[in-house]
Amino acid sequence: MKLIEQDKNESFNIDEPIWISPNGNLLDIEIDAKFDLQKIKNAYPNLWRYEDAIAINQQDGIVSLNEGFTAIEKIKLNGKEIYIKHEQLFSTGSYKDRGATTLISKAKQLGVKKIVQDSSGNAGCAIAAYAAKAQINCEIYLPENTSNSKISQMLAYGARINKIKGDRNATSIAAWKAAKNIYYASHCYNPWFFEGTKTFAFEVCEQLGWKSPDSVVLPAGNGTLIIGCYIGFSQLLKAGIIHQMPKIIAVQTETCCPLYDAFFDTNNSDNNYSSNTIAEGIAIINAPRAEQILNAVKETKGTFIKVNEVEIKDAWIKIAAMGNYIEPTSAATIAGLEKYIQGSLDQTIVSLFSGHGLKSKSLI
Ligand SMILES: *Cc1c(COP(=O)(O)O)cnc(C)c1O
């Protein structure tokens, strides 16, 4: 097990308290993931059932809210059967708990006493909750216009909030500065976050009878789930559990689709992307791991799909009419899923409800 520096291939001990290389390059975690199917079958139904495939030793103590192994449900959408993971049912209301449990567990094992994070939404809530459980001091940087319900949630967990004037980028810069002296629990940079999001792939595979789906339809903002899925399915492939990678289908909104444009080589020289969308959670203009996201989609022979505001709202209404109250950001993925299944002959398609609706405004 080691930390590998992107582009340089230099490696570091996994017990180094770093989240980026000394040269400023992104880090990934290398592990020889093991899957003992009998042992897993008998293990407790949370994401730590895959402990031999996670680079964190449970014996050394983990910070857990009993997260993961979310239900997978077969639903009928526009006449087709689709598997949906209920990722809105995590303790803090989104799948970000997957990454928070591994990142904060690692921080705790490293003896970290204080962390800093920047997020206007669910990642901040998840990191704040797990920091509370770990009794680690947590400081969150937010853009001034962050929704009140999410700020209240972070405050309830005991996080300290710093509101930053200006756009999201100004917030990132402020957090980056603070991270010079404080451990950066970033869901975009810190590789330990992806050690958790990859368990989405493990669960899907196990819940389908240790088989790979043909495709997974996922949101694309900072790509924490896309990169997690790519890592997870790659490790299952390498271990001989599955024999083919699922295609990764990535969904963005028309107002903010820099990765879509990069994928199709669209010349958008104005770069006039806006976070003015009801799917604010994926309105990310500069994803730090953009290259990694594009590679994951390319290598799995997947594609990008973009959706407009009307399509997102319609998807949200359709899903609510089936009894599921999801965050508008989550409805963007479902709108993309509806477009994808129109033209695809894939037999097994998996997607998700990424966040719970109770945190955000109703769309009707
Ligand atoms: C974080 C999040 C997303 C998008 O995830 P990225 O990692 O930014 O690609 C989608 N939906 C919800 C509810 C989220 O919290």
Side-chain angles (χ1 to χ4, degrees):
M1 282 189 284
K2 48 193 174 182
L3 289 162
I4 305 278
E5 182 180 24
Q6 282 187 16
D7 305 328
K8 292 274 185 337
N9 260 354
E10 203 165 315
S11 65
F12 303 91
N13 188 293
I14 57 159
D15 288 327
E16 293 235 24
I18 53 174
W19 49 272
I20 201 158
S21 82
N23 297 320
N25 292 313
L26 292 164
L27 294 170
D28 293 313
I29 293 162
E30 192 182 85
I31 174 184
D32 187 13
K34 298 263 189 318
F35 302 88
D36 176 339
L37 304 195
Q38 195 54 41
K39 183 178 164 195
I40 293 170
K41 190 175 166 210
N42 294 329
Y44 203 78
N46 65 33
L47 62 80
W48 292 97
R49 66 203 273 105
Y50 311 105
E51 64 172 327
D52 298 335
I54 298 174
I56 292 174
N57 193 344
Q58 268 198 78
Q59 263 67 54
D60 296 343
I62 54 163
V63 183
S64 172
L65 295 167
N66 194 18
E67 55 288 302
F69 213 66
T70 56
I72 195 164
E73 184 193 0
K74 207 189 247 181
I75 67 161
K76 208 152 198 183
L77 187 66
N78 306 346
K80 288 210 177 161
E81 284 190 329
I82 310 290
Y83 288 96
I84 294 283
K85 285 275 277 175
H86 283 272
E87 298 282 294
Q88 83 279 27
L89 297 180
F90 280 92
S91 178
T92 75
S94 85
Y95 76 83
K96 298 295 195 308
D97 290 18
R98 289 189 187 278
T101 187
T102 48
L103 191 157
I104 299 295
S105 292
K106 186 65 192 181
K108 177 102 178 167
Q109 292 183 3
L110 290 172
V112 167
K113 298 280 184 278
K114 186 169 181 182
I115 55 170
V116 58
Q117 148 82 320
D118 57 313
S119 154
S120 58
N122 292 326
C125 293
I127 290 292
Y130 283 80
K133 175 95 196 219
Q135 296 193 290
I136 290 175
N137 251 305
C138 177
E139 203 162 310
I140 310 246
Y141 286 75
L142 300 168
E144 243 180 353
N145 60 356
T146 300
S147 88
N148 275 330
S149 59
K150 284 176 184 165
I151 295 183
S152 306
Q153 190 181 355
M154 292 177 219
L155 286 172
Y157 296 132
R160 241 188 66 197
I161 302 293
N162 295 295
K163 285 190 197 170
I164 304 297
K165 279 204 179 70
D167 59 7
R168 231 185 153 105
N169 205 35
T171 305
S172 305
I173 292 167
W176 186 276
K177 265 191 198 151
K180 282 212 167 104
N181 304 310
I182 310 172
Y183 189 74
Y184 196 16
S186 166
H187 58 298
C188 317
Y189 290 99
N190 196 310
W192 293 102
F193 198 85
F194 302 90
E195 204 55 18
T197 55
K198 75 179 188 185
T199 59
F200 180 89
F202 299 165
E203 290 178 20
V204 165
C205 182
E206 182 181 358
Q207 288 168 322
L208 296 178
W210 293 111
K211 287 198 181 70
S212 168
D214 295 311
S215 49
V216 284
V217 181
L218 306 172
N222 280 306
T224 57
L225 196 54
I226 291 178
I227 293 167
C229 264
Y230 180 77
I231 296 171
F233 283 116
S234 301
Q235 291 177 349
L236 288 160
L237 189 70
K238 191 163 170 231
I241 306 286
I242 60 171
H243 306 291
Q244 139 217 330
M245 287 289 280
K247 286 174 269 185
I248 293 179
I249 315 301
V251 184
Q252 295 210 296
T253 67
E254 281 189 4
T255 62
C256 192
C257 52
L259 298 171
Y260 175 100
D261 286 341
F263 187 80
F264 292 110
D265 228 348
T266 312
N267 187 13
N268 186 342
S269 49
D270 317 338
N271 268 346
N272 52 355
Y273 303 120
S274 141
S275 48
N276 189 13
T277 163
I278 52 176
E280 53 180 18
I282 50 170
I284 308 293
I285 298 171
N286 294 309
R289 291 182 183 260
E291 280 306 309
Q292 222 172 339
I293 300 169
L294 290 166
N295 280 340
V297 175
K298 252 178 231 159
E299 272 186 36
T300 61
K301 304 193 169 58
T303 190
F304 272 83
I305 291 174
K306 62 179 174 181
V307 294
N308 67 33
E309 299 300 293
V310 174
E311 290 161 343
I312 298 169
K313 187 174 171 186
D314 286 351
W316 185 87
I317 290 169
K318 192 177 279 186
I319 293 304
M322 295 164 79
N324 299 285
Y325 198 59
I326 60 174
E327 194 172 321
T329 295
S330 310
T333 304
I334 304 303
L337 172 66
E338 290 190 80
K339 283 195 171 167
Y340 182 67
I341 58 180
Q342 258 176 27
S344 114
L345 298 172
D346 291 358
Q347 295 296 306
T348 312
I349 302 173
V350 175
S351 189
L352 73 152
F353 298 149
S354 56
H356 207 289
L358 287 174
K359 283 191 213 186
S360 30
K361 277 191 226 125
S362 166
L363 295 185
I364 53 161

